Amino acid sequence: MLKKRIIVCLDVKDGRTTKGVKFQNNLDIGDPVEMAKKYYEQGVDELVFYDIMASARGDRPILDLISKVASQVFIPFCVGGGIGTMEDIRSTILAGAEKVSLNSQAVKNPDLISQGASVFGSQCIVLGMDVRRDASKPSGFGTTINGGRVDTGLDALEWAKKAVALGAGEIVLNSMDADGTKNGYDIELTKLIAENVAVPVIASGGGGKVEHLADVLTKGQADAALIATMVHSGEYTISSIKKELSEMHVPVRM
């Protein structure tokens, strides 16, 4: 059986790691370079770095900071935020990222997914999705961009399938309704997408205790769980999370 991955997300704003609830009221919680090193040493499987304001501001990726983080971690490292051109993808990978996450820019220019996949390989192109429940959409879920500020009008399931057809090799699926609440992942959303695409789905938004991860990795059929608040708060370490998951018979890399 394939091992499930535990991934830590560093949301970065103005060069500092930040954390909010449902994309609001973000607080400065530390230096992303130091935090990345700490989580790497604790045994995290992958690291995701999002510049949460880049697309809304029209900023380019912060390559010097990406390079500093990459120098501290020797695991897959994914970067998102402000990546809108092939040159942005190239420079981000050259700065040390193994993968780039396309979210707002992919909605605005879907060809970026297919172009990126053809040049760098599908394994490098991750679709980031910020999803809200929306009863007006066929699947019951809609997608947003620019850090949740803009409703795209796209149905979440339709967009996920289209992006995978274009060449996205993985999906980071963030439930905006659950984000930062620590009340658990959106199992219904995660299962819906995971059952309908042939690429790994990473569940994001709502992890507060180890049972939440176990649920989304089993019932939600996620390949990986993204966490932030659980470890940023100091309540858990990566090793303590993996130990508990293993005791629950969830296959993880120890």
Side-chain angles (χ1 to χ4, degrees), residues 1 45 74 96 121 131 140 193 231 241:
M1 184 185 272
D45 296 310
F74 303 94
V131 177
I193 303 297
V231 284
I241 290 168

Side-chain angles (χ1 to χ4, degrees), residues 11-182:
D11 284 333
V12 176
K13 180 182 177 186
D14 303 322
R16 299 284 293 174
T17 309
T18 180
K19 194 70 197 98
V21 176
K22 301 186 181 182
F23 289 30
Q24 302 289 320
N25 305 318
N26 285 72
L27 301 172
D28 182 328
I29 57 170
D31 173 39
V33 181
E34 289 173 9
M35 293 174 76
K37 184 171 188 278
K38 177 177 77 173
Y39 296 132
Y40 169 67
E41 289 171 349
Q42 285 181 10
V44 74
D45 296 310
E46 293 187 26
L47 197 70
V48 174
F49 172 111
Y50 285 133
D51 185 336
I52 61 169
M53 295 301 293
S55 287
R57 290 174 174 170
D59 293 346
R60 308 290 293 278
I62 30 183
L63 299 175
D64 58 334
L65 186 56
I66 292 164
S67 178
K68 285 175 187 166
V69 172
S71 73
Q72 298 298 320
V73 299
F74 303 94
I75 48 174
F77 173 41
C78 178
V79 173
I83 299 171
T85 65
M86 286 293 285
E87 184 48 42
D88 289 338
I89 296 175
R90 189 185 314 278
S91 58
T92 301
I93 290 171
L94 287 172
E98 275 80 17
K99 308 176 188 180
V100 295
S101 178
L102 307 177
N103 186 332
S104 304
Q105 303 299 335
V107 170
K108 294 170 188 173
N109 176 21
D111 288 344
L112 191 60
I113 298 172
S114 47
Q115 290 166 3
S118 69
V119 173
F120 300 102
S122 285
Q123 81 285 349
C124 286
I125 306 300
V126 178
L127 178 72
M129 295 178 64
D130 292 327
V131 177
R132 271 200 188 101
R133 286 181 176 265
D134 183 345
S136 72
K137 299 290 186 292
S139 70
F141 297 94
T143 57
T144 69
I145 57 171
N146 290 0
R149 295 169 188 81
V150 178
D151 185 352
T152 65
L154 294 169
D155 178 80
L157 179 57
E158 281 176 28
W159 173 229
K161 287 158 93 169
K162 180 181 175 182
V164 170
L166 286 168
E170 194 166 64
I171 294 175
V172 173
L173 183 63
N174 190 38
S175 165
M176 293 188 59
D177 302 301
D179 180 75
T181 62
K182 298 171 68 176

